[in-house]
Amino acid sequence: MDIAYLIETIIKIVVILLVFSALAGIGTYFERKVLAFMQRRLGPVNVGPFGLLQVGADGIKLFTKEDIIPTGVVAKIFKIAPVITAATAFMASAAIPFLPSFSIAGYEVHPIVADINIAILYILGVMAVGLYGPLLGGMSSANKFSLISAARTAAVFISYEVVTGLSLLAPIMMVGSLSLIDFNEYQAGGITSWIVWSQPVAFVLFWIAAFAETGRTPFHLIANDHEIIDGFGTEYSGMRWGLFFIGEYANMFFISFVIPLIFLGGYGDGSFLGALGLLAKVAFFFFFFLWTRAAWPDVRPDQLMWLCWKVLMPIAVVNVVITGFVMMF
């Protein structure tokens, strides 16, 4: 193996871990500020200028808070569950091209850990494994509300993974590849070549399913917030709870990259303006996650399943069939 390639890959992995772990904390600051603005509150204001140091204070609290293992839990599973959530979120990022290629001192850098030709399948598979984090965390806890949350988690994630996969079939049929770089090149002709114009239904379906995959409002039933507890995370404290938290926000950022790469032209022709455009799209989708939390209530579990199996999945199947006929004739 080329030693330069190995070093480059290790550096990419370290950068992704450090940057997106930090972004998870920074994301909470922006979320609290956005929610406060929309609800006519102030948000963090006391710790540092504009409350900016609140992120550091929260980090210190997480690292120094006592790590409690409650009596009655299945200790080994209880400990590994939050690690699964955080690890799978970062593993999914390996196939995401975060920016176009660029050169440093004559050496070309590709901002992707592994350009595999089954990138979309890999991302969906790893995100599916992420289900086991909250599922095992809730099932191993000696708490009935955590168990209820684990059951809801399994129902929501498994159901909406079907919609996620079906919504992507039509774009995959058009591009003829599972590589996100191939998706970007397919749309490199400008805004008129974006897949969203020919696949608006798939775009909306995937966007809705992304909220379910990240467990965000209005699909936040897995955390039982309306029951004034933290769902599968009720029995967790300190950094173990923090790993669930990092996994959720990392997933939000990664989904915010995947949506523009598949449907909205990605970074286009690879120019500087194209890279800025991608980052602007990512910022919008992350903001939309926050906006939705401020604007929408959670739906009931039966409404959630009805929406998936009786509305979204039939629409996704019909969209695939229509796409197939259009491509044939």
Side-chain angles (χ1 to χ4, degrees):
M1 181 182 291
D2 185 357
I3 188 67
Y5 173 78
L6 179 61
I7 293 173
E8 178 188 351
T9 302
I10 293 173
I11 291 174
K12 290 175 186 175
I13 293 171
V14 172
V15 169
I16 288 174
L17 289 173
L18 293 178
V19 169
F20 284 94
S21 294
L23 283 176
I26 296 170
T28 60
Y29 172 81
F30 284 109
E31 177 160 24
R32 294 165 74 177
K33 281 293 189 181
V34 168
L35 294 179
F37 174 78
M38 292 184 173
Q39 298 165 354
R40 300 187 69 181
R41 297 183 289 108
L42 293 178
V45 292
N46 295 320
V47 185
F50 306 105
L52 287 169
L53 297 182
Q54 185 65 52
V55 177
D58 290 340
I60 293 171
K61 180 180 71 174
L62 282 178
F63 279 105
T64 58
K65 195 172 183 180
E66 183 180 3
D67 181 21
I68 299 173
I69 307 295
T71 303
V73 304
V74 183
K76 291 182 179 179
I77 298 177
F78 183 85
K79 292 177 181 179
I80 200 173
V83 178
I84 294 174
T85 297
T88 52
F90 285 103
M91 287 170 61
S93 70
I96 300 175
F98 294 104
L99 291 170
S101 301
F102 58 92
S103 297
I104 298 179
Y107 183 82
E108 188 172 7
V109 178
H110 303 279
I112 180 174
V113 174
D115 179 20
I116 53 179
N117 57 5
I118 54 167
I120 294 178
L121 183 62
Y122 168 79
I123 291 171
L124 293 179
V126 172
M127 291 183 68
V129 174
L131 154 70
Y132 289 99
L135 179 63
L136 294 176
M139 292 181 65
S140 63
S141 298
N143 183 302
K144 63 181 180 182
F145 291 106
S146 296
L147 181 59
I148 292 172
S149 175
R152 289 174 176 172
T153 300
V156 172
F157 281 20
I158 291 174
S159 299
Y160 279 86
E161 279 167 11
V162 175
V163 176
T164 303
L166 286 174
S167 67
L168 291 180
L169 275 181
I172 289 171
M173 290 162 61
M174 292 176 57
V175 177
S177 173
L178 291 167
S179 168
L180 287 175
I181 291 182
D182 288 343
F183 266 82
N184 182 84
E185 292 176 351
Y186 181 88
Q187 305 172 87
I191 190 171
T192 56
S193 65
W194 290 4
I195 291 177
V196 67
W197 308 126
S198 55
Q199 290 294 333
V201 174
F203 171 66
V204 173
L205 290 173
F206 185 78
W207 199 355
I208 294 172
F211 277 88
E213 292 286 329
T214 53
R216 299 286 299 184
T217 303
F219 304 93
H220 201 45
L221 294 173
I222 57 178
N224 305 65
D225 277 357
H226 52 292
E227 294 161 3
I228 322 299
I229 61 171
D230 193 32
F232 58 83
T234 300
E235 300 293 335
Y236 285 92
S237 63
M239 203 54 211
R240 294 190 198 279
W241 180 88
L243 288 174
F244 280 126
F245 162 84
I246 290 172
E248 176 183 337
Y249 278 82
N251 271 326
M252 288 166 60
F253 277 108
F254 297 145
I255 288 292
S256 297
F257 270 98
V258 169
I259 295 176
L261 283 168
I262 293 178
F263 293 101
L264 300 175
Y267 48 76
D269 58 2
S271 65
F272 179 71
L273 288 178
L276 286 181
L278 175 60
L279 295 179
K281 297 166 195 172
V282 171
F284 167 77
F285 283 106
F286 184 79
F287 168 74
F288 198 86
F289 276 112
L290 313 184
W291 185 6
T292 307
R293 180 177 177 182
W296 284 77
D298 287 338
V299 296
R300 299 195 313 262
D302 61 301
Q303 293 172 326
L304 206 61
M305 295 298 102
W306 176 85
L307 176 66
C308 176
W309 295 108
K310 293 190 176 182
V311 178
L312 301 183
M313 193 184 74
I315 292 175
V317 172
V318 170
N319 186 56
V320 170
V321 172
I322 291 175
T323 302
F325 274 108
V326 170
M327 292 182 67
M328 286 176 62
F329 299 108

